Amino acid sequence: MKEWPLWEVFIRSQHGLAHKHVGSLHAADAEMAIKNARDLYTRRNEGVSIWVVKSADIAASSPGDKEALFDPANNKVYRHPTFYAVPEEVKHL
Amino acid sequence: MYAQLVDTGVQRVAALEELPPEERAFQERIDADVKIEPKDPMPEAYRRTLIRQISQHAHSEIVGMLPEGNWITRAPTLKRKAILIAKVQDEAGHGLYLYSAAETLGVSRDTMIDDLHTGKVKYSSIFNYPTLTWADVGAIGWLVDGAAIMNQIPICRCSYGPYARAMVRICKEESFHQRQGFDLMLALCRGTPEQKRMAQDALNRWWWPAVMMFGPPDAESVHSAQSMRWKIKLVSNDDLRQKFIDQTVPQAEYLGLTIPDPQLRWNEERGHYDIGPIDWDEFYNVIKGNGPCNRERLQARKTAWEEGAWVREAAAAHAEKQAARCAKAAA
């Protein structure tokens, strides 16, 4: 028999925070994946909301693309507030 | 430990200069404490060794449910029963986190389970001992989970990201396991003389298997040296064992129990306890399949897997039917 598909599990820990990836599990369908995620990843009040998505449906960047994707951000220091010298007399900036 | 005698497939640890360029680049990343993630390039031997280590660890968690599960229906109070159920459920969870971590290396869940059932991959020697009395549940939590924590905390810093992350979750939950075990032993030791005798008997039977759990001395082992170089093993077996003994002996004294080792002495000079000789023949015998419960444990796992087959098939068929219905309604 074929294995049940693999699902990635995302949990939101409290209202106001984003869902965060916590791990994966096997389940026959989405409904079972949510039930299993409840038992597997929220046994100690870790969450108030669960997302599950089939692992096969996730598109991911590859390690080989790291430079092309992320290097351009490296030399744009002016995007950070610390790039700008603020005169000491000026407040609330 | 939970993963014992893990084979790395290497004959000797090669010097950095001897490595082919790709492996050298990999080793340099490890040396710089860069975490390795599933899609990163990695040497085949690293990948295979990790699969062996993580799957062995996962199998230990799953088989580890059996000796304790044995006492769920006979727990002396509702409180103890609820605690034990929660603990055994955690062990199932730990097994599942670890199987998922191993799957990121390209091995399927079914393959790992099959390797357990055919005896190709082992689980920890410790779970081949029987739980004869209720005190054994306390001794397992106190000693076996105590030893497990000692081993698992360093692995939270190991080089493979998914394994390290699984281990962080596990360590957070593990300390409840050790405390409930000690709490159970404490209740027995403060109870009737008969209860205290039961606690002493459990310590007598579990002490040496727990000490052996760390595995034989590995200072000379090429596999340990290679695993340490890859940072998938961070502390030697003997160092972990010493730490475990040093921390556990005073706890036994507090309980008023005697460690079953007449040669156990505090060594002022070393600042550690010295212990008597460990019976490694027993350890190898248990690993080879001749411990008191090896056959029973493996049979229980195989039976559970076979008897659950119809459930897995039915759920898959149901999911397929539902998906087909949805597709038809949408068309």
Side-chain angles (χ1 to χ4, degrees):
Chain A
M1 196 197 87
K2 247 180 74 197
E3 267 183 17
W4 288 347
L6 191 67
W7 301 75
E8 298 302 322
V9 180
F10 300 81
I11 304 275
R12 186 168 67 204
S13 58
Q14 311 162 31
H15 287 290
L17 293 182
H19 285 77
K20 191 177 162 218
H21 182 244
V22 292
S24 48
L25 51 77
H26 286 270
D29 56 26
E31 192 189 339
M32 188 196 281
I34 288 177
K35 285 183 178 148
N36 287 357
R38 200 277 313 247
D39 287 346
L40 191 55
Y41 290 107
T42 65
R43 288 195 301 281
R44 288 177 176 78
N45 273 328
E46 289 94 334
V48 294
S49 164
I50 299 172
W51 286 351
V52 293
V53 56
K54 268 191 191 160
S55 310
D57 290 340
I58 290 186
S61 66
S62 85
D65 296 337
K66 212 168 116 195
E67 284 160 22
L69 288 174
F70 308 115
D71 275 5
N74 263 341
N75 58 3
K76 294 176 179 60
V77 282
Y78 47 84
R79 285 181 173 170
H80 298 277
T82 46
F83 177 74
Y84 303 91
V86 178
E88 225 170 275
E89 303 86 319
V90 181
K91 302 292 177 203
H92 310 295
L93 202 67
Chain B
M1 203 59 232
Y2 276 17
Q4 295 159 331
L5 306 172
V6 178
D7 191 334
T8 56
V10 305
Q11 304 295 320
R12 69 180 186 93
V13 179
L16 195 59
E17 307 77 56
E18 294 175 72
L19 295 173
E22 282 153 33
E23 279 188 41
R24 188 170 168 168
F26 176 80
Q27 188 59 48
E28 281 166 352
R29 297 185 68 201
I30 300 262
D31 293 342
D33 279 330
V34 175
K35 288 265 186 271
I36 307 302
E37 294 296 339
K39 292 173 100 185
D40 290 341
M42 62 182 88
E44 186 58 15
Y46 174 85
R47 196 181 70 83
R48 280 175 187 279
T49 304
L50 267 177
I51 290 175
R52 273 188 215 111
Q53 180 171 336
I54 303 172
S55 66
Q56 207 186 106
H57 198 155
H59 297 328
S60 298
E61 302 282 357
I62 298 298
V63 176
M65 290 194 281
L66 297 170
E68 291 183 291
N70 182 34
W71 280 91
I72 289 176
T73 56
R74 290 170 290 164
T77 66
L78 185 57
K79 180 186 109 178
R80 293 284 176 199
K81 186 177 192 158
I83 291 171
L84 185 55
I85 290 174
K87 195 212 176 227
V88 172
Q89 192 190 14
D90 274 355
E91 305 299 358
H94 296 177
L96 296 179
Y97 306 154
L98 287 162
Y99 282 132
S100 295
E103 282 174 274
T104 63
L105 292 156
V107 61
S108 77
R109 180 86 51 117
D110 282 1
T111 303
M112 287 187 274
I113 289 171
D114 200 48
D115 285 348
L116 170 69
H117 293 173
T118 57
K120 198 175 151 203
V121 175
K122 306 281 185 208
Y123 53 89
S124 175
S125 56
I126 194 79
F127 301 116
N128 290 311
Y129 292 86
T131 40
L132 303 178
T133 75
W134 172 248
D136 290 21
V137 172
I140 289 180
W142 173 38
L143 301 172
V144 176
D145 290 278
I149 292 173
M150 202 114 278
N151 171 260
Q152 291 174 157
I153 285 179
I155 310 179
C156 294
R157 295 180 280 116
C158 81
S159 63
Y160 189 57
Y163 191 25
R165 291 191 284 273
M167 212 47 73
V168 170
R169 289 192 72 86
I170 289 174
C171 284
K172 273 189 196 159
E173 298 175 351
E174 204 82 73
S175 109
F176 140 62
H177 296 180
Q178 190 189 17
R179 283 196 189 184
Q180 66 80 34
F182 188 81
D183 185 68
L184 198 165
M185 293 300 269
L186 192 59
L188 291 175
C189 291
R190 286 176 175 167
T192 63
E194 202 188 346
Q195 286 175 315
K196 186 156 183 188
R197 270 200 300 280
M198 206 161 102
Q200 180 64 56
D201 168 65
L203 174 59
N204 291 349
R205 285 180 291 106
W206 287 95
W207 174 254
W208 287 109
V211 166
M212 282 177 205
M213 224 178 123
F214 294 92
D218 56 354
E220 309 283 307
S221 161
V222 61
H223 299 306
S224 289
Q226 182 61 59
S227 290
M228 283 197 172
R229 189 144 184 239
W230 281 330
K231 295 189 185 167
I232 54 178
K233 179 184 179 86
L234 292 111
V235 185
S236 82
N237 294 350
D238 278 338
D239 286 353
L240 287 169
R241 181 170 17 248
Q242 185 72 62
K243 210 172 159 197
F244 168 74
I245 291 165
D246 290 348
Q247 106 174 3
T248 309
V249 172
Q251 294 167 356
E253 282 167 5
Y254 183 85
L255 292 170
L257 297 177
T258 311
I259 303 265
D261 177 0
Q263 296 182 53
L264 183 79
R265 300 258 183 295
W266 175 253
N267 184 326
E268 194 64 55
E269 212 172 294
R270 290 203 309 129
H272 292 293
Y273 282 95
D274 290 336
I275 63 165
I278 298 170
D279 181 2
W280 290 115
D281 286 345
E282 177 182 326
F283 173 81
Y284 286 112
N285 207 25
V286 172
I287 292 273
K288 274 188 210 124
N290 303 317
C293 301
N294 294 58
R295 286 175 195 83
E296 186 188 329
R297 299 284 185 247
L298 208 53
Q299 194 51 52
R301 286 312 312 151
K302 281 193 215 165
T303 305
W305 183 251
E306 282 158 16
E307 290 182 353
W310 72 270
V311 180
R312 295 192 297 277
E313 282 161 24
H318 174 74
E320 219 168 279
K321 206 163 88 184
Q322 291 294 104
R325 251 186 224 160
C326 277
K328 207 172 159 193

